[in-house]
Structures are given as structure tokens and as C-alpha cells.
Amino acid sequence: IAMVAILTAIIIVGFSILFSKNIMAPVKKLVESAQKIGTGDLNHRIGMQFKNEFGILSSEFDLMAENLKTITISNKEKEVLLREIHHRVKNNLQMIKSLLNLQFNKISDSKMREEIRDSMNRITSIALVHETLYKSDDLSEIDQKQYFEALIIHLFNSVLPKRTRVTWESQIDDLELDLDTTITCGLIMTELVTNSLKYAFKDDKGKIIIQLNLKNEDTVRMQISDNGIGLPDDVFLKEPETLGLTLVKTLAINQLNGLIDLELDKGSNC
């Protein structure tokens, strides 16, 4: 799955300066496995033999896949099984996030802590998709408004201090997006909203508007705008210097075959 490779790249690039391969290789493998099992590859096995948290998670993934594979399913049982897959994938992604959070709490450098937090938010953006499906009455459809608004609330709570006066507004259509497209859009939204929250408002006051609308039969338009200080007008024309902007460009153009349009009139509008 293309999303797996992208998420793996995010984690490796963001933390290569912090952790040795002994830490990042297991994290990479666990995230990759979560996505494979989450999309129905019940033959996938991890097989890591570590005597630590990674080994425990590896065994849990393998046992989960084996147990699910051996179940003979009717239509009703299939629904229960799919719900259980989404629930367990969400839980295991949260466990991976918890391992990163342990490292976050041990680091005092503010820049390194920011990078760890951003990567934990990327994992959360994926976990929330599976949580939304798990709680849904219809496993074939993702409640886009519920998912994206839950993601926005999480990002505000994660990035901004409680004293902030930054507000948000969402305008999200009733869309029908598949799992991979929803995850991709969630990652893009995570980067753009995080960027606004971190850099747009010097006095912790302002507003972010998040729009996700059906433009025509096969085109969806995502627009993230704020009334902050704006970005350099060539930020997307040159090679992006940050992992977040690199991710946005890669996902929007290569993954979704989309276009990026940046307006810098009284803030940023992407």
C-alpha cells in the first residue's frame, strides 16, 4: 500500500536524528503491519523476537491475524470481524504512539520534542480513521465530517496551549471517500492545520477555516485558510525544507494526482 511507504518515510526522516535503527526499524515494521492487517491481509506476520515492548506488540499482531484468519464467517460474522480489525488496528497504532510518547517525555530539546509530537499526530490521523469505522453503524462508509472534525480537535489540543484564542470553522461535505483516500486527506490536513497553528498567529489569536468540498463528480477540493501572517509566496515552488510541506506535496500530487494552489492575501490559503 502506498500509504504504508509514505508513513514509514515520515517516521524515519523525522526521527533519524533521534533514535538508532534498533528503535526505528521495529516502529517502521509495526506501522507497516498495522496497515496491512487493517486492509485485510490476514496472512501477514511480523515475527519480531525482541524481549521488549516491540516483541510484545509483534506477538499481539501475529496472534490477532492468526485468530482472525481461522474464523469461518457469515455475513454477520464478517461485519463483526471487520469491526474487530479496525478496533485492534486502532489500538495497536495507539500503542506505537505510546512508545514514541515515552521517548518524547525523556527529551528536553524543544525542537526534537516538536518533531516527535508531529509524528505522533500523523499516527493519530490514521488511527482515528479506524476508530471512526469501528464506531460506525455502516463499516462500508466513513463519516467524513465526524472523522475530520475529530482530527481538527485533536490537533488543536496537541499543538496549541490552552490559553490560545485561535478558533476554527469547518465546512465539510457529505463525501464518499475510500479508506486510503481518507487517510491521505487526513495526513494532508494534519500538516496544513499544524503549520497554521504553529506559525500563523504571533499573538495566539486568529481563525482557521477547514473546507472539504465536492467540486465535481470525481474531484474533491480541500482548502485550509487562516488570517495569520502568511507564508513566503514561493514556499511550494522551491523544494520544501520541512518534512510537513514535503509530505503535503508528495501526497497531493503523487498519491491523489491533485494540484496545490497557494494564496497569500491576508493570511495563508492552501
Side-chain angles (χ1 to χ4, degrees), residues 85-96:
I85 290 175
H86 289 300
H87 181 57
R88 293 197 184 188
V89 168
K90 184 266 295 184
N91 284 347
N92 283 320
L93 285 170
Q94 293 287 44
M95 291 180 72
I96 296 171

Side-chain angles (χ1 to χ4, degrees), residues 10-65:
I10 295 169
I11 298 174
I12 292 175
V13 172
F15 293 104
S16 60
I17 62 173
L18 304 178
F19 310 114
S20 69
K21 291 183 179 180
N22 289 335
I23 295 293
M24 288 314 304
V27 170
K28 170 186 174 182
K29 197 166 186 178
L30 287 168
V31 172
E32 181 180 9
S33 297
Q35 286 301 100
K36 286 186 177 181
I37 295 173
T39 53
D41 184 4
L42 300 182
N43 291 315
H44 180 75
R45 298 292 182 272
I46 306 175
M48 292 194 299
Q49 303 297 321
F50 301 134
K51 295 182 179 179
N52 54 21
E53 293 92 340
F54 294 117
I56 294 172
L57 274 172
S58 172
S59 298
E60 170 66 17
F61 269 74
D62 290 346
L63 180 61
M64 175 185 73

